[in-house]
Amino acid sequence: MKKIFVLTVLIFTCFSGFSVYAQGILTAAAFFQNVSAEYGKIEDYEADVSIKAAKKVMEGHVNFKRPNLLRIDFTKPDNQVICFNGDLLTIYLPESAAILNQTVESSGTGSAASLATAQGLSLMSRYYSVAYESGQEAVPLEDGSTENVVKLVLSRRNTSEAFRYINLAILPESKLIRRIEAITPQNEKFQFDFSNYSINQGISDQRFIYDPPTSANNYNNFLFTEQ
């Protein structure tokens, strides 16, 4: 009986120790779910954004309001605007004096306004597998950076997805996305950096009504125009 009691204590101690250790481990999938949950609480946000594609860099200020309102006012290129009001996608290109308009059906608006949103994260979770890049601990955003983030690597589940990998850098305290890197099968990289967030400020729908200059040329339904 004494031996059985001692053995029971040893087993209990081992499992208790393992349980405490396991509680400190957060899987990448669970961490990603926590990030999604935080974005699920966001009704609107605005932030500074930098977009890099190939050797081109664009900078501006982004506004988003649930469920699918999006506007980016660029400072580089200066005065360029991308605005989606839930029905119409408008892109103003001041260098070309051109206004690109595209009507978007409500069922297809997710791709137009899902950048760094709860809806976008939901789609990522569905079509990509999630893993830590180097572990659950926060690491520098990049070499020489004093800003620490948790890095995730999302790998596509099938070849029909536009991006082969999506790398996410998450701010550990707020669970907000600091950086998105999307890599195509041709190894082209698109990088989005977000900073200076303001969350749930009660952004008005009026902010997503954009009146482009009347002097610019209009091109309607440009996505489906035959070349």
Side-chain angles (χ1 to χ4, degrees), residues 1-13:
M1 177 66 74
K2 184 176 181 180
K3 290 182 179 180
I4 295 176
F5 175 75
V6 172
L7 182 60
T8 302
V9 171
L10 287 174
I11 292 174
F12 177 77
T13 302

Side-chain angles (χ1 to χ4, degrees), residues 12-205:
F12 177 77
T13 302
C14 289
F15 275 94
S16 295
F18 177 78
S19 177
V20 171
Y21 174 74
Q23 288 176 6
I25 299 176
L26 185 65
T27 67
F31 179 78
F32 187 83
Q33 288 179 353
N34 290 344
V35 174
S36 297
E38 288 302 313
Y39 272 85
K41 303 174 185 177
I42 294 176
E43 295 297 326
D44 61 62
Y45 74 77
E46 56 181 305
D48 294 327
V49 63
S50 173
I51 305 171
K52 297 179 182 178
K55 296 182 179 180
K56 188 173 183 179
V57 179
M58 303 171 68
E59 297 176 349
H61 194 75
V62 58
N63 288 268
F64 169 81
K65 184 173 183 179
R66 186 185 289 242
N68 55 10
L69 303 181
L70 179 73
R71 177 168 175 167
I72 304 177
D73 293 270
F74 289 93
T75 55
K76 182 179 180 181
D78 194 26
N79 293 323
Q80 183 166 310
V81 176
I82 297 175
C83 186
F84 182 69
N85 66 8
D87 298 304
L88 182 68
L89 173 66
T90 300
I91 302 175
Y92 171 54
L93 305 174
E95 293 180 356
S96 305
I99 303 166
L100 309 181
N101 295 305
Q102 180 65 55
T103 302
V104 181
E105 294 182 3
S106 59
S107 60
T109 57
S111 60
S114 64
L115 184 63
T117 67
Q119 187 178 23
L121 291 168
S122 176
L123 292 173
M124 290 183 202
S125 178
R126 186 182 308 171
Y127 298 115
Y128 290 82
S129 58
V130 184
Y132 287 118
E133 182 178 293
S134 58
Q136 70 182 60
E137 298 301 323
V139 296
L141 177 64
E142 56 193 18
D143 290 341
S145 176
T146 59
E147 188 175 12
N148 291 330
V149 295
V150 177
K151 294 186 176 182
L152 299 176
V153 178
L154 283 67
S155 305
R156 64 181 181 178
R157 300 182 189 274
N158 58 70
T159 57
S160 64
E161 299 309 315
F163 298 110
R164 189 176 181 184
Y165 299 104
I166 299 176
N167 300 324
L168 298 180
I170 309 295
L171 299 171
E173 297 298 328
S174 64
K175 301 296 187 298
L176 294 173
I177 295 173
R178 174 62 177 82
R179 174 175 291 172
I180 300 174
E181 292 179 342
I183 297 92
T184 70
Q186 294 74 35
N187 287 324
E188 297 173 308
K189 183 170 77 171
F190 299 86
Q191 179 175 306
F192 301 80
D193 282 280
F194 299 88
S195 59
N196 301 320
Y197 278 96
S198 294
I199 306 296
N200 294 337
Q201 299 297 302
I203 297 176
S204 169
D205 289 355

